[in-house]
Amino acid sequence: MFQRLLIANRGEIAVRIVRTCETLGIATVAVHSEADRNARHVVEADAAIAIGEAPASRSYLSIDRLIDAARAVGADAVHPGYGFLSENAAFAAACTDAGLTFVGPSAEVIARFGSKIEARRAAREAGVPTVPGVEPADQSPAGIVAAVRRTGVPALLKPSAGGGGKGMRIVREADDDAAVAAEAAAARREAEAAFGDGTLYVERRLERPRHVEVQVAGDGEGRVVHLGERDCSVQRRHQKVVEEAPAPDLTESTRERLTAAAVDLAEAARYDSVGTVEFLVEGAGDDARFYFLELNTRLQVEHPVTELVTGADLVAVQLRIAAGRRDWAPARREPRGHAIECRVCAEDPATDFRPQAGRILACREPAGPGVRVDSGVGPGSEVPVHYDPLLAKLAVWGETRDAARRRALSALRRYVVLGVRTNLSLLQRVLEHPRFARGAVGVGFVDEERAALVASGADESVLAAVAASAARALRQGPHSPPPGAPAVAAGAEVDPWVGLPDWRL
């Protein structure tokens, strides 16, 4: 196993990787930009090294600075986490060229599946169904217009190098050539800005699909296993909000076909790490149809729900595969019970999910049986403007799906973040919604139910937290303060934070 691991990432995933390395006896080195010099992942790693200025392009996205940092600290391996350079073939190759082990697939596998066009071809070669569409060799406006007409409407224009919904455009009318060309130009501009590649392909838009993905792991020698599936249909702007495992309302026949297709693709690719094969699912029962969407060559944000139902440590699996260990496969892969994950983000749903920045004045994370919080922040943490707004992930386990849902709701009601606006109220409303309770949501759920899910005005989670703390303080009574609390004179105004020192700085 490795002696020293450089974690080429930040935030909650960097803290998550540190946790596994502690159990495996691997020393960890965090990297940080100027904006993150006091961040939680910097404090919790065994050592830390600065790599540049706050903008990601001059720190977390700089291959040269990361390789120099790994050499400077004597690391023998690099874990990319997710986001940033985790699916960058050039970074994986640079690590190998520098004599470092890249904890992830080979650069060749990353490059092939980093192109959505190449990934679709690989899926078809493996016998895995893909969404009907066209990968036009002619990338001119006329070529894109012709591809839309061949595909039929509604259609999606999608960047070949894309992800996270960036650069995607919906075309509902194919007769207006100028309008289609304008959408293609806008998609290309956004794709070039986000990924440096404006290549587009056209795909038929499925109107009400579910987003279901299969967790796979392989050793590059033909051995591939799956660890079940997850449902990630609760999304906004093509970004996942709530995920769960196993996927609700799948028959065993559909589940077996879905997981077998994922394994077939990974085996054909000689996949050599932990990865996720994503599908769109239409219909219900044994007649449900599924289509390949993409293969993510990295750890997923939502991996905790798979860990909770299987007992596997997916970071440890990654590390064992990268180290060439033969004992990398988890002992148990069949799911037990149900798990739900909620992404806690610094964003304001009432203003079209605008990212928030600032200092976290108080933070209380829920705990208890079956409750897990993967967090990258704490009281006093600064939330910079430069990076993804994800603060933490709340993941819970229950014997049944409804037990997990109720436990997640209880935990969300006890989750407090003050100082920046968050989506905690939205998450509660999602889990309370009758459609979610029935397991009857597709990828358009948040847009379709926006009025019921998005609160206007004051942040309800903040108001609830203040009200609960005030009520608790009042129940204590002015003449019987809790141990360690300052005395309160009769008739004096009650401080709502009395008795809750863990909420304070």
mmCIF file of all heavy atoms in Angstrom, residues 3-7 17-18 21-22 26-30 44-48:
data_model
loop_
_atom_site.group_PDB
_atom_site.id
_atom_site.type_symbol
_atom_site.label_atom_id
_atom_site.label_comp_id
_atom_site.label_asym_id
_atom_site.label_seq_id
_atom_site.Cartn_x
_atom_site.Cartn_y
_atom_site.Cartn_z
ATOM 1 N N GLN A 3 2.605 4.909 0.962
ATOM 2 C CA GLN A 3 3.129 5.523 2.182
ATOM 3 C C GLN A 3 2.567 6.926 2.388
ATOM 4 O O GLN A 3 2.201 7.296 3.500
ATOM 5 C CB GLN A 3 4.663 5.595 2.111
ATOM 6 C CG GLN A 3 5.331 4.232 2.025
ATOM 7 C CD GLN A 3 5.040 3.383 3.240
ATOM 8 O OE1 GLN A 3 5.198 3.828 4.383
ATOM 9 N NE2 GLN A 3 4.606 2.150 3.013
ATOM 10 N N ARG A 4 2.508 7.716 1.302
ATOM 11 C CA ARG A 4 2.058 9.103 1.423
ATOM 12 C C ARG A 4 1.221 9.469 0.205
ATOM 13 O O ARG A 4 1.667 9.302 -0.929
ATOM 14 C CB ARG A 4 3.253 10.040 1.554
ATOM 15 C CG ARG A 4 2.878 11.516 1.731
ATOM 16 C CD ARG A 4 4.071 12.327 2.151
ATOM 17 N NE ARG A 4 4.543 11.896 3.465
ATOM 18 C CZ ARG A 4 5.711 12.255 4.000
ATOM 19 N NH1 ARG A 4 6.533 13.030 3.315
ATOM 20 N NH2 ARG A 4 6.063 11.831 5.193
ATOM 21 N N LEU A 5 0.034 9.977 0.449
ATOM 22 C CA LEU A 5 -0.923 10.284 -0.610
ATOM 23 C C LEU A 5 -1.167 11.780 -0.675
ATOM 24 O O LEU A 5 -1.515 12.403 0.329
ATOM 25 C CB LEU A 5 -2.252 9.569 -0.335
ATOM 26 C CG LEU A 5 -3.375 9.799 -1.349
ATOM 27 C CD1 LEU A 5 -3.131 8.980 -2.606
ATOM 28 C CD2 LEU A 5 -4.733 9.440 -0.742
ATOM 29 N N LEU A 6 -0.992 12.355 -1.853
ATOM 30 C CA LEU A 6 -1.376 13.746 -2.082
ATOM 31 C C LEU A 6 -2.831 13.761 -2.542
ATOM 32 O O LEU A 6 -3.197 13.056 -3.479
ATOM 33 C CB LEU A 6 -0.502 14.390 -3.158
ATOM 34 C CG LEU A 6 -0.786 15.887 -3.373
ATOM 35 C CD1 LEU A 6 0.121 16.714 -2.471
ATOM 36 C CD2 LEU A 6 -0.614 16.293 -4.829
ATOM 37 N N ILE A 7 -3.662 14.555 -1.874
ATOM 38 C CA ILE A 7 -5.073 14.669 -2.234
ATOM 39 C C ILE A 7 -5.230 15.927 -3.085
ATOM 40 O O ILE A 7 -5.150 17.047 -2.572
ATOM 41 C CB ILE A 7 -5.966 14.725 -0.993
ATOM 42 C CG1 ILE A 7 -5.731 13.479 -0.124
ATOM 43 C CG2 ILE A 7 -7.440 14.820 -1.395
ATOM 44 C CD1 ILE A 7 -6.411 13.536 1.229
ATOM 45 N N ILE A 17 -11.448 11.431 2.023
ATOM 46 C CA ILE A 17 -10.289 10.605 1.663
ATOM 47 C C ILE A 17 -9.337 10.481 2.845
ATOM 48 O O ILE A 17 -8.775 9.407 3.103
ATOM 49 C CB ILE A 17 -9.586 11.197 0.427
ATOM 50 C CG1 ILE A 17 -10.524 11.112 -0.793
ATOM 51 C CG2 ILE A 17 -8.279 10.463 0.140
ATOM 52 C CD1 ILE A 17 -10.067 11.941 -1.974
ATOM 53 N N VAL A 18 -9.162 11.560 3.589
ATOM 54 C CA VAL A 18 -8.319 11.514 4.791
ATOM 55 C C VAL A 18 -8.815 10.448 5.753
ATOM 56 O O VAL A 18 -8.026 9.682 6.331
ATOM 57 C CB VAL A 18 -8.279 12.894 5.478
ATOM 58 C CG1 VAL A 18 -7.658 12.790 6.874
ATOM 59 C CG2 VAL A 18 -7.495 13.896 4.643
ATOM 60 N N CYS A 21 -7.763 6.980 4.633
ATOM 61 C CA CYS A 21 -6.311 6.831 4.731
ATOM 62 C C CYS A 21 -5.869 6.633 6.178
ATOM 63 O O CYS A 21 -4.914 5.885 6.450
ATOM 64 C CB CYS A 21 -5.606 8.030 4.111
ATOM 65 S SG CYS A 21 -5.712 8.051 2.303
ATOM 66 N N GLU A 22 -6.550 7.292 7.110
ATOM 67 C CA GLU A 22 -6.224 7.091 8.525
ATOM 68 C C GLU A 22 -6.407 5.630 8.920
ATOM 69 O O GLU A 22 -5.593 5.078 9.662
ATOM 70 C CB GLU A 22 -7.115 7.983 9.392
ATOM 71 C CG GLU A 22 -6.757 9.461 9.326
ATOM 72 C CD GLU A 22 -7.757 10.333 10.067
ATOM 73 O OE1 GLU A 22 -8.876 9.856 10.375
ATOM 74 O OE2 GLU A 22 -7.431 11.513 10.333
ATOM 75 N N ILE A 26 -2.090 5.329 5.865
ATOM 76 C CA ILE A 26 -1.464 6.107 4.792
ATOM 77 C C ILE A 26 -1.407 7.571 5.213
ATOM 78 O O ILE A 26 -2.426 8.157 5.584
ATOM 79 C CB ILE A 26 -2.260 5.976 3.481
ATOM 80 C CG1 ILE A 26 -2.337 4.514 3.033
ATOM 81 C CG2 ILE A 26 -1.640 6.841 2.379
ATOM 82 C CD1 ILE A 26 -3.258 4.290 1.858
ATOM 83 N N ALA A 27 -0.240 8.176 5.167
ATOM 84 C CA ALA A 27 -0.102 9.595 5.481
ATOM 85 C C ALA A 27 -0.717 10.426 4.357
ATOM 86 O O ALA A 27 -0.592 10.078 3.176
ATOM 87 C CB ALA A 27 1.365 9.961 5.661
ATOM 88 N N THR A 28 -1.375 11.530 4.719
ATOM 89 C CA THR A 28 -2.051 12.356 3.723
ATOM 90 C C THR A 28 -1.485 13.762 3.690
ATOM 91 O O THR A 28 -1.092 14.322 4.720
ATOM 92 C CB THR A 28 -3.562 12.443 4.012
ATOM 93 O OG1 THR A 28 -3.768 12.888 5.369
ATOM 94 C CG2 THR A 28 -4.224 11.095 3.817
ATOM 95 N N VAL A 29 -1.458 14.310 2.486
ATOM 96 C CA VAL A 29 -1.024 15.686 2.283
ATOM 97 C C VAL A 29 -2.126 16.418 1.538
ATOM 98 O O VAL A 29 -2.540 16.003 0.449
ATOM 99 C CB VAL A 29 0.288 15.766 1.482
ATOM 100 C CG1 VAL A 29 0.706 17.227 1.298
ATOM 101 C CG2 VAL A 29 1.386 14.964 2.153
ATOM 102 N N ALA A 30 -2.623 17.500 2.133
ATOM 103 C CA ALA A 30 -3.648 18.322 1.492
ATOM 104 C C ALA A 30 -2.978 19.408 0.665
ATOM 105 O O ALA A 30 -1.877 19.872 0.993
ATOM 106 C CB ALA A 30 -4.547 18.955 2.543
ATOM 107 N N GLU A 44 -7.193 18.823 8.751
ATOM 108 C CA GLU A 44 -7.348 17.416 9.097
ATOM 109 C C GLU A 44 -6.333 16.495 8.444
ATOM 110 O O GLU A 44 -6.133 15.371 8.907
ATOM 111 C CB GLU A 44 -8.771 16.971 8.762
ATOM 112 C CG GLU A 44 -9.815 17.760 9.527
ATOM 113 C CD GLU A 44 -11.030 16.940 9.903
ATOM 114 O OE1 GLU A 44 -11.029 15.725 9.669
ATOM 115 O OE2 GLU A 44 -11.976 17.540 10.454
ATOM 116 N N ALA A 45 -5.700 16.909 7.366
ATOM 117 C CA ALA A 45 -4.661 16.082 6.750
ATOM 118 C C ALA A 45 -3.402 16.099 7.615
ATOM 119 O O ALA A 45 -3.230 16.959 8.489
ATOM 120 C CB ALA A 45 -4.353 16.590 5.347
ATOM 121 N N ASP A 46 -2.506 15.147 7.379
ATOM 122 C CA ASP A 46 -1.251 15.085 8.153
ATOM 123 C C ASP A 46 -0.323 16.235 7.820
ATOM 124 O O ASP A 46 0.485 16.645 8.659
ATOM 125 C CB ASP A 46 -0.549 13.749 7.878
ATOM 126 C CG ASP A 46 -1.359 12.572 8.372
ATOM 127 O OD1 ASP A 46 -1.754 12.569 9.546
ATOM 128 O OD2 ASP A 46 -1.613 11.649 7.570
ATOM 129 N N ALA A 47 -0.397 16.733 6.592
ATOM 130 C CA ALA A 47 0.432 17.859 6.165
ATOM 131 C C ALA A 47 -0.310 18.592 5.062
ATOM 132 O O ALA A 47 -1.302 18.089 4.524
ATOM 133 C CB ALA A 47 1.792 17.368 5.666
ATOM 134 N N ALA A 48 0.155 19.793 4.748
ATOM 135 C CA ALA A 48 -0.507 20.585 3.715
ATOM 136 C C ALA A 48 0.531 21.409 2.970
ATOM 137 O O ALA A 48 1.586 21.750 3.515
ATOM 138 C CB ALA A 48 -1.571 21.500 4.333
#
